[in-house]
Amino acid sequence: MSDRLWGGRFSKKPSEIMKLFNASISYDKRLAHDDIDQSIAHVKMLSKCKIISDADKEKIIDGLMQIADEIRSGKFSFSVDDEDIHMNIERRLIELKGDAAKKVHTARSRNDQVATDFRLFAKKASIEVIKNIIGLQKAIVRLAESNLSLMMPGFTHLQHAQPILVSHWLMAYFEMLTRDAEQFFGSLKLADSSPLGACALAGTSFPIDRNYTQRTLGFAASSGNSIDAVSDRDFAISFLYASAVCSMHLSRLSEELILFSTSEFGFVRLSEEYSTGSSIMPQKRNPDALELIRGKTGRLYGNLVSLLVVMKALPLAYDKDMQEDKERFFDSFDTIHDLLQVMSGVVSSLSFDKQTFNLSLKKGFITATDLADYLAKKGIPFRQAHKITGEIVKYLESSGRDFETVSIAELKKFSDAIDDDIKDYLLPENSINSRNSYGGTSSEQVGFQIKKAAETIKEEEQRLKLPFLNYKRSPKPAVDAIVERSGKILLIKRKYEPYGWALPGGFIEYGESAEKAVARELKEETGLDAIGIKQFHVYSSPQRDERVHTISIVFVVETSGDAAADDDASELKWFLEDDLPHLAFDHKKILNDYRLTNKL
Ligand code: ARG
């Protein structure tokens, strides 16, 4: 391997152990595609700002696309000699493209580079986790819905407390998961500003355009302080915190399901798919899936504490200590992802035993509170009602009896306020339905919460559709061109995200007319000259472009010349209207509208 990329001032090579100790490539290679996206945005900006030439930009992007392919196909050889993913990619780029490639690191440092890559990754990770949370929420709601009226004892201190609906108990976990999703939306937001351009720590003397890279990479904002930009890992800590708390919730559910599936409780039967046998005791069916969820909570807490400790007392700005951030993050991401998937499987496949639930409801004087409430409603001060009920329980308990076997005459001995209607109050289903306060366990309340859950899920899914969108940012105007020749529509294959086929087009530059923008974009991407430009429709929705809220003015453009792909287009092709490929953005809808308009 040739010289290290930072080797100029060194006369000795690092010791072998130092080289291995320093290297992060074994794990930060997970950032490879984010690093490439980031470099592409960076060099586009450099050429746009005339810091590097257009030709160099083209070469670099070409090289980066090739590297992306090599990585995807497993042909790329990662080397610890190049320390980390950033230098591995840069090394290969130089191999491929020579001197042009040596310009990629202009107006950039690995400090803002790694911070940018990591944030791109963290945003996607948050989105992925939220999707999995939603998956589990759906499984919980399904289970609650199909066991709507099933009753169980509710516990406090793990002692029989009051009867509740099984669906009510399940929906408690739905609430926790809703908060978890909120925490991950929070870490997504913290990660959503671009540090690129902060360089080593102080910014740069090159005339860069941070706004451009920020938008291209889909960040909601650019970080306002270059020192903070390269030394902030709050977004990662927030993610680790969210993972730790989410795992705590899953661990509590695991613990309950483990207990409830024992022969002592017998409430729950876990599917064989998520249980294992014992190598010696043939009768056993162990809840390993749930034990592992409970157990792995430990590493999620550990990862959070670990990064908090790494960051504690670090002097500004970047310190190599911070390289310790990524393994913690990746581990928490992978772990919480698995936990949620496995828990969804467990929840979707378990079944309840109505009979044991009912037997259990007879134990432990579970409606004692209802008896006390009954007396209080008849005018006896609650404290006294509590005392009377306690005496009744003691009386029955000493003879091994329960509310079911006690006669009304016996009860009346304890209080004149007790009437013949008392027995109804002591039935679990009546107890449950009497608790009709908002959020209570009555069928009406639980039914309402289940309905509301569907809305919560819809809302979460809606928010996920805008992952790279700053809610506060105003929409950006863009143009798209419908070019038709002998019944065929011209489409370009996009070089950048979102990949795939699309109408030629792009963003309107500040102060430019929409007509000029569409002619310019068309020329850049297809080489065609616009000879007739007619406005079609305007399309605006936060969802139409996942990177940014766009308003697109669509034109029908008459053209001259031969088309050849260039700029943001890697390929172009004429398509028959009823033989269109999969299209990016909302271009399918646009072309459908166009076809309908033409038919009229
Ligand atoms: N591999 C490094 C990390 O993960 C990249 C940044 C290196 N920066 C530096 N100044 N040495 O943190």
Side-chain angles (χ1 to χ4, degrees), residues 119-413:
R119 280 166 181 265
L120 288 172
F121 187 93
K123 284 175 64 179
K124 285 184 283 189
S126 301
I127 290 164
E128 189 56 29
V129 175
I130 296 168
K131 282 186 187 159
N132 279 286
I133 290 177
I134 294 174
L136 178 54
Q137 284 185 309
K138 285 181 176 169
I140 286 177
V141 171
R142 270 197 303 272
L143 191 60
E145 273 172 333
S146 49
N147 291 283
L148 214 47
S149 51
L150 194 58
M151 298 179 294
M152 67 184 280
F155 298 88
T156 61
H157 311 271
L158 206 53
Q159 308 287 323
H160 277 211
Q162 291 169 346
I164 56 174
L165 289 178
V166 170
S167 47
H168 191 213
W169 164 71
L170 282 169
M171 290 304 285
Y173 286 99
F174 180 91
E175 295 286 323
M176 295 177 226
L177 289 163
T178 303
R179 292 196 294 276
D180 290 331
E182 204 55 53
Q183 293 288 355
F184 282 101
F185 276 118
S187 20
L188 174 59
K189 196 168 171 202
L190 287 186
D192 203 10
S193 73
S194 170
L196 194 58
C199 299
L201 81 164
T204 177
S205 58
F206 287 99
I208 60 168
D209 182 350
R210 290 193 63 198
N211 205 256
Y212 178 87
T213 43
Q214 171 222 308
R215 277 191 278 109
T216 309
L217 291 169
F219 283 109
S222 292
S223 49
N225 180 305
S226 59
I227 303 169
D228 179 53
V230 292
S231 49
D232 164 33
R233 293 294 183 272
D234 294 0
F235 65 94
I237 291 169
S238 160
F239 184 95
L240 298 187
Y241 170 76
S243 306
V245 175
C246 182
S247 75
M248 180 259 289
H249 296 146
L250 300 180
S251 180
R252 291 181 79 171
L253 178 54
S254 298
E255 171 66 14
E256 291 209 287
L257 290 174
I258 291 168
L259 273 178
F260 291 170
S261 64
T262 57
S263 26
E264 283 70 21
F265 274 88
F267 293 167
V268 168
R269 191 154 175 90
L270 300 171
S271 154
E272 286 183 6
E273 286 174 283
Y274 293 93
S275 321
T276 58
S278 155
S279 55
I280 171 167
M281 297 163 283
Q283 84 284 12
K284 291 207 71 178
R285 212 165 73 163
N286 297 328
D288 293 39
L290 295 166
E291 288 169 325
L292 279 169
I293 293 175
R294 195 175 57 185
K296 281 177 194 289
T297 300
R299 64 203 277 167
L300 292 175
Y301 289 9
N303 287 341
L304 169 63
V305 174
S306 169
L307 188 55
L308 282 170
V309 176
V310 167
M311 295 304 292
K312 172 185 176 289
L314 274 195
L316 298 178
Y318 177 86
D319 303 273
K320 197 60 171 264
D321 314 46
M322 285 159 74
Q323 183 165 284
E324 288 291 299
D325 54 7
K326 282 170 283 295
E327 283 168 293
R328 309 282 94 74
F329 190 97
F330 293 150
D331 185 65
S332 282
F333 173 40
D334 295 339
T335 307
I336 196 69
H337 176 269
D338 290 354
L339 259 53
L340 286 161
Q341 294 249 325
V342 172
M343 188 56 99
S344 293
V346 171
V347 167
S348 306
S349 61
L350 61 76
S351 54
F352 295 115
D353 188 332
K354 186 172 174 178
Q355 226 170 347
T356 24
F357 274 142
N358 286 345
L359 281 174
S360 175
L361 282 166
K362 294 188 200 305
K363 296 181 206 160
F365 302 95
I366 196 140
T367 47
T369 317
D370 298 274
L371 176 53
D373 285 349
Y374 172 91
L375 294 169
K377 282 175 193 159
K378 299 241 160 155
I380 297 174
F382 185 76
R383 266 301 141 237
Q384 206 181 323
H386 186 285
K387 186 165 173 273
I388 296 168
T389 308
E391 283 161 5
I392 296 173
V393 167
K394 192 171 155 199
Y395 163 77
L396 291 173
E397 205 172 35
S398 64
S399 54
R401 295 163 63 204
D402 54 35
F403 286 148
E404 231 180 22
T405 56
V406 69
S407 71
I408 295 182
E410 277 176 289
L411 288 174
K412 280 187 173 175
K413 281 192 221 147

Side-chain angles (χ1 to χ4, degrees), residues 308-590:
L308 282 170
V309 176
V310 167
M311 295 304 292
K312 172 185 176 289
L314 274 195
L316 298 178
Y318 177 86
D319 303 273
K320 197 60 171 264
D321 314 46
M322 285 159 74
Q323 183 165 284
E324 288 291 299
D325 54 7
K326 282 170 283 295
E327 283 168 293
R328 309 282 94 74
F329 190 97
F330 293 150
D331 185 65
S332 282
F333 173 40
D334 295 339
T335 307
I336 196 69
H337 176 269
D338 290 354
L339 259 53
L340 286 161
Q341 294 249 325
V342 172
M343 188 56 99
S344 293
V346 171
V347 167
S348 306
S349 61
L350 61 76
S351 54
F352 295 115
D353 188 332
K354 186 172 174 178
Q355 226 170 347
T356 24
F357 274 142
N358 286 345
L359 281 174
S360 175
L361 282 166
K362 294 188 200 305
K363 296 181 206 160
F365 302 95
I366 196 140
T367 47
T369 317
D370 298 274
L371 176 53
D373 285 349
Y374 172 91
L375 294 169
K377 282 175 193 159
K378 299 241 160 155
I380 297 174
F382 185 76
R383 266 301 141 237
Q384 206 181 323
H386 186 285
K387 186 165 173 273
I388 296 168
T389 308
E391 283 161 5
I392 296 173
V393 167
K394 192 171 155 199
Y395 163 77
L396 291 173
E397 205 172 35
S398 64
S399 54
R401 295 163 63 204
D402 54 35
F403 286 148
E404 231 180 22
T405 56
V406 69
S407 71
I408 295 182
E410 277 176 289
L411 288 174
K412 280 187 173 175
K413 281 192 221 147
F414 289 87
S415 168
D416 298 341
I418 294 179
D419 281 322
D420 293 355
D421 59 354
I422 182 64
K423 280 279 186 162
D424 282 348
Y425 278 81
L426 301 181
L427 292 175
E429 57 267 41
N430 291 342
S431 160
I432 284 173
N433 282 325
S434 72
R435 296 207 157 73
N436 198 28
S437 51
Y438 182 80
T441 198
S442 71
S443 329
E444 186 184 336
Q445 290 300 327
V446 176
F448 175 72
Q449 293 300 333
I450 288 176
K451 248 194 230 123
K452 220 176 105 210
E455 280 165 43
T456 304
I457 289 174
K458 231 206 247 148
E459 219 176 271
E460 287 167 350
E461 284 176 332
Q462 202 56 33
R463 279 164 79 185
L464 270 190
K465 284 194 190 143
L466 311 171
F468 301 118
L469 184 74
N470 174 10
Y471 296 86
K472 282 173 283 179
R473 197 165 74 231
S474 41
K476 261 179 70 73
V479 286
D480 288 300
I482 300 175
V483 179
E484 190 180 354
R485 278 188 192 173
S486 28
K488 287 181 171 175
I489 302 284
L490 178 65
L491 296 176
I492 60 156
K493 192 159 189 187
R494 295 175 51 81
K495 253 193 210 165
Y496 309 115
E497 275 207 77
Y499 298 103
W501 294 96
L503 294 167
F507 291 114
I508 303 177
E509 281 175 8
Y510 185 82
E512 187 182 38
S513 75
E515 285 83 359
K516 184 145 178 255
V518 78
R520 178 182 51 73
E521 286 288 347
L522 194 62
K523 181 82 188 162
E524 285 172 7
E525 291 174 350
T526 70
L528 292 176
D529 290 304
I531 51 173
I533 297 179
K534 217 173 99 199
Q535 193 179 311
F536 181 55
H537 295 177
V538 178
Y539 293 83
S540 172
S541 142
Q543 272 91 333
R544 64 178 304 277
D545 183 336
E546 63 191 23
R547 302 161 306 171
V548 59
H549 181 177
T550 50
I551 300 176
S552 180
I553 309 170
V554 179
F555 292 92
V556 179
V557 186
E558 233 180 282
T559 58
S560 68
D562 285 333
D566 203 356
D567 195 47
D568 291 354
S570 65
E571 209 183 305
L572 55 73
K573 223 162 130 179
W574 298 90
F575 287 92
L576 281 169
E577 272 189 68
D578 39 40
D579 195 21
L580 295 172
H582 181 77
L583 293 175
F585 311 117
D586 56 353
H587 289 183
K588 190 134 242 165
K589 167 162 178 47
I590 295 177

